Amino acid sequence: MMLTRRRLIAISAVLATVPAVAHAKSAARFWTGQALGARASIRIDHPDADAIVTRVMAEIDRLENILSLYRPQSALSRLNRDAHLDAPPFELLECLSLAGAVHRASGGRFDPTIQPLWKLWAESAANGKQPDARAVERARADTGWGKVRLEAAAVTLNPDMALTLNGIGQGYVADRVAVLLEAEGLTDILIDTGELRALGGRPGGGEWPVRLETGERLALRQRALATSAPLGTTFDQAGRDGHILDPATGMPAPANWRSVSISAPSAAMADALATAACLLPDEGSILAMIGRFEGARLEGISRVF
């Protein structure tokens, strides 16, 4: 299957305690449409549900205008095009700062500068082939997190460099939507943007039940969960060239892991750590990386045999 964006985003949130009269007038609102380039569904149980859904969609749209590679005028697209961005939005700086921390903790495996490599692999796949070794090395020459100059006043890249926030951006959006919903007084929330973000528990009590790729079950509350699978999405029709690229080689991640699931206090953190884990050679290395982030846990791992 060719690389595609996530097909479904789901958000469910409930106002746990409202006055009896207000609750009697409250009814769940179910909205479907588009968000983050995917089908989206939002279920809100709140007296002001319609207005809250509107604010959620506005926030997702605002964040896409900052973080998306698919919008030509987003802050990220302008940075990639011009190799410089003055007065970068706080959200872009926050995402890149966390990306840098995971880059260091993973020994450089997590690297947002792989966009030239990703573009090369995607374009080659569109022509039904793999890129040749010389093309891969040329693209690798335009990567390297150490070449990114990240400051509050500006972000600067070397010419021909480009960043991607795949592997952290969708988790970050889930975190921001959670903040918005919590501010509205909603306490039982589950957000699925490809990464799960749970606040509170299920309406009526209990935790949010999650089944991992390994088949194990997990009860989620006040945490985020991300699962990465190197061959879950591939560039080629044969399903051999996974979408997670190793910046050290320019090649798809070695097929060590079928899937890795990591939970953390934030979805952005869980997202980035799960992506990086797919590039690490053994479980000990994964645990060492995760141990550098407070509250992060390895929840499930499956090796390819």
Side-chain angles (χ1 to χ4, degrees):
M1 181 178 68
M2 294 297 293
L3 188 62
T4 58
R5 304 185 73 189
R6 178 164 174 80
R7 292 189 176 89
L8 177 64
I9 292 166
I11 300 172
S12 177
V14 175
L15 182 63
T17 56
V18 296
V21 174
H23 191 73
K25 296 178 180 179
S26 173
R29 299 291 192 272
F30 187 76
W31 175 93
T32 59
Q34 289 282 320
L36 298 175
R39 287 189 300 117
S41 68
I42 303 177
R43 183 187 185 281
I44 301 287
D45 191 351
H46 189 283
D48 200 22
D50 290 336
I52 293 173
V53 168
T54 298
R55 288 193 282 274
V56 167
M57 295 309 302
E59 176 68 353
I60 291 174
D61 185 67
R62 184 185 74 84
L63 291 168
E64 284 212 83
N65 282 332
I66 296 171
L67 307 174
S68 176
L69 279 173
Y70 298 87
R71 294 192 177 186
Q73 293 306 312
S74 74
L76 180 62
S77 292
R78 287 184 285 117
L79 171 61
N80 285 347
R81 182 174 60 245
D82 302 333
H84 184 86
L85 183 67
D86 285 320
F90 166 79
E91 293 84 357
L92 180 60
L93 288 172
E94 189 172 35
C95 248
L96 291 176
S97 294
L98 177 57
V102 177
H103 173 82
R104 292 186 292 274
S106 65
R109 282 358 188 265
F110 187 81
D111 192 337
T113 70
I114 62 164
Q115 179 59 18
L117 282 165
W118 195 96
K119 182 180 179 183
L120 171 66
W121 277 90
E123 290 176 348
S124 297
N127 294 320
K129 60 182 182 180
Q130 288 185 332
D132 63 51
R134 286 177 296 180
V136 169
E137 286 307 304
R138 286 195 297 270
R140 280 192 66 235
D142 294 325
T143 67
W145 182 251
K147 303 173 187 175
V148 178
R149 292 172 290 287
L150 183 63
E151 300 172 345
V155 182
T156 305
L157 311 176
N158 283 2
D160 298 320
M161 289 183 70
L163 304 181
T164 175
L165 295 175
N166 288 345
I168 192 171
Q170 289 184 179
Y172 185 81
V173 169
D175 291 331
R176 299 302 301 177
V177 170
V179 169
L180 184 154
L181 292 174
E182 203 168 26
E184 298 283 357
L186 290 148
T187 55
D188 295 330
I189 302 168
L190 183 67
I191 300 167
D192 181 358
T193 61
E195 329 312 327
L196 294 173
R197 181 75 153 86
L199 282 75
R202 297 177 69 187
E207 298 174 319
W208 295 97
V210 178
R211 183 170 180 171
L212 303 181
E213 295 286 334
T214 58
E216 299 169 84
R217 295 184 181 277
L218 177 69
L220 204 61
R221 178 191 287 267
Q222 299 301 119
R223 290 185 70 73
L225 177 74
T227 296
S228 289
L231 295 178
T233 308
T234 60
F235 290 107
D236 62 319
Q237 296 285 353
R240 292 187 299 264
D241 298 328
H243 69 293
I244 299 176
L245 300 177
D246 187 341
T249 64
M251 303 296 289
N256 296 326
W257 310 111
R258 192 180 306 277
S259 68
V260 181
S261 296
I262 292 174
S263 72
S266 78
M269 181 187 296
D271 193 2
L273 290 173
T275 301
C278 291
L279 291 159
L280 294 173
D282 52 62
E283 190 170 338
S285 300
I286 294 173
L287 290 171
M289 173 186 69
I290 293 171
R292 298 181 65 174
F293 295 88
E294 185 176 358
R297 294 198 300 256
L298 178 63
E299 300 289 1
I301 191 166
S302 176
R303 182 178 282 278
V304 174
F305 294 102

